[in-house]
Amino acid sequence: MRTEGEGHAAALAREYASRYEVVFTLGGDGTAMEVVGALASTGRLIGVLPGGTGNLIARALAIPLDVPSAVRALLDGHEAWIDLGRLEGGRRFAFAAGVGIDSRMVERTPAVLKRRLGIVAYLLSAANAVLSGDAFQARITVDGVVHERVAAMVMVTNFGAIFDELITLGPGISQDDGLLDLCVFSPGSLRDAVRIAWRLFRKDFRADPCILYAPGQVFVIETSPPRRAQADGELLGMTPFRVSVEPRAARLLVPTRD
């Protein structure tokens, strides 16, 4: 079934999912999350096929990025329940929501560049955002505990790795533990930014004055001045925004790892 506009994938999933053993999505992260959100907590089985530019969800689940290989890997794989993040208004995300470098990366990557370069286009935009040194004052409340600092990026993440596990965002982040994880990165200079990137690349999670981690179930992100946020590569409104976890809300097909 071909979607005809925003929200149509969710409507199709609600109407037809009960007739099938598995609902497969073929598109970008926005299409996938419409279906995942529509079927959250129903127990309906979902398979995510990569058909977008970033394919963050497929990459996080180690799903091959060409469709025939992805189909085989999912049909030969196993079922997994994963947590979801829920925004005010009911919108859900599987990978992460955030503000700062990640939202600027989504907002400033031209469509033509995304079509031509795919994930590389996002990496180029992220590098530009880092080099611009655009920081902001952030106030983040995690389960009632307030954290305040100047930040370049604030993320509430469900998965611990990005870019095909090239970079690990933080320690002990799991998509099925009933928690989401706050990751705040606050480089004060290019040297700080390089050190943070190197530590994430090396999975070095020792204490660092430019990094804050905090797991939790309910998060409120406020910034001064207000900034555009994103969730799973889709732009949201301006801060503040509130996130809560829905434990093990999505039932997905995932590849079996060797």
Side-chain angles (χ1 to χ4, degrees):
M1 300 179 184
R2 185 178 295 274
T3 59
E4 298 175 356
E6 185 176 351
H8 194 206
L12 290 173
R14 292 189 189 100
E15 183 174 356
Y16 293 103
S18 62
R19 304 183 188 183
Y20 300 93
E21 293 181 27
V22 187
V23 177
F24 286 90
T25 73
L26 175 58
D29 293 309
T31 301
M33 280 313 303
E34 279 195 27
V35 173
V36 171
L39 301 182
S41 302
T42 66
R44 299 294 178 190
L45 187 58
I46 303 164
V48 176
L49 300 176
T53 302
N55 296 311
L56 290 172
I57 299 168
R59 291 174 186 274
L61 295 170
I63 296 170
L65 297 184
D66 69 282
V67 173
S69 297
V71 171
R72 290 191 295 271
L74 293 181
L75 292 180
D76 292 338
H78 63 279
E79 299 175 16
W81 289 88
I82 71 165
D83 305 327
L84 295 176
R86 183 183 177 97
L87 299 156
E88 286 184 310
R91 184 169 179 170
R92 294 175 172 90
F93 64 88
F95 183 76
V99 62
I101 291 172
D102 57 337
S103 56
R104 288 186 62 198
M105 177 178 69
V106 174
E107 189 173 17
R108 299 189 180 187
T109 303
V112 63
L113 199 61
K114 289 192 288 185
R115 287 194 298 269
R116 292 179 179 176
L117 300 181
I119 195 68
V120 175
Y122 286 118
L123 291 173
L124 292 173
S125 294
N128 180 65
V130 170
L131 293 174
S132 70
D134 185 16
F136 54 92
Q137 186 67 41
R139 175 186 169 94
I140 312 105
T141 306
V142 182
D143 293 344
V145 178
V146 176
H147 305 273
E148 294 189 66
R149 60 177 55 198
V150 175
M153 182 165 69
V154 176
M155 293 182 70
V156 179
T157 186
N158 188 35
F159 284 83
I162 57 175
F163 304 138
D164 299 324
E165 299 190 353
L166 177 65
I167 295 176
T168 302
L169 295 172
I173 299 175
S174 176
Q175 65 266 25
D176 59 1
D177 59 359
L179 298 171
L180 300 174
D181 289 82
L182 173 70
C183 303
V184 181
F185 303 106
S186 305
S189 64
L190 179 58
R191 184 174 182 177
D192 288 340
V194 171
R195 185 182 73 255
I196 291 171
W198 180 245
R199 287 198 169 194
L200 299 182
F201 179 75
R202 293 289 299 264
K203 300 179 176 61
D204 179 357
F205 302 125
R206 290 174 294 171
D208 189 296
C210 296
I211 303 175
L212 170 66
Y213 296 120
Q217 295 181 313
V218 180
F219 305 76
V220 179
I221 292 85
E222 303 168 273
T223 67
S224 180
R227 299 178 69 94
R228 194 81 178 267
Q230 68 83 30
D232 283 351
E234 301 289 322
L235 290 172
L236 308 174
M238 306 296 284
T239 55
F241 65 94
R242 183 180 185 274
V243 175
S244 59
V245 66
E246 290 188 341
R248 296 170 64 85
R251 181 178 171 231
L252 301 181
L253 277 175
V254 297
T256 298
R257 304 195 185 196
D258 296 332

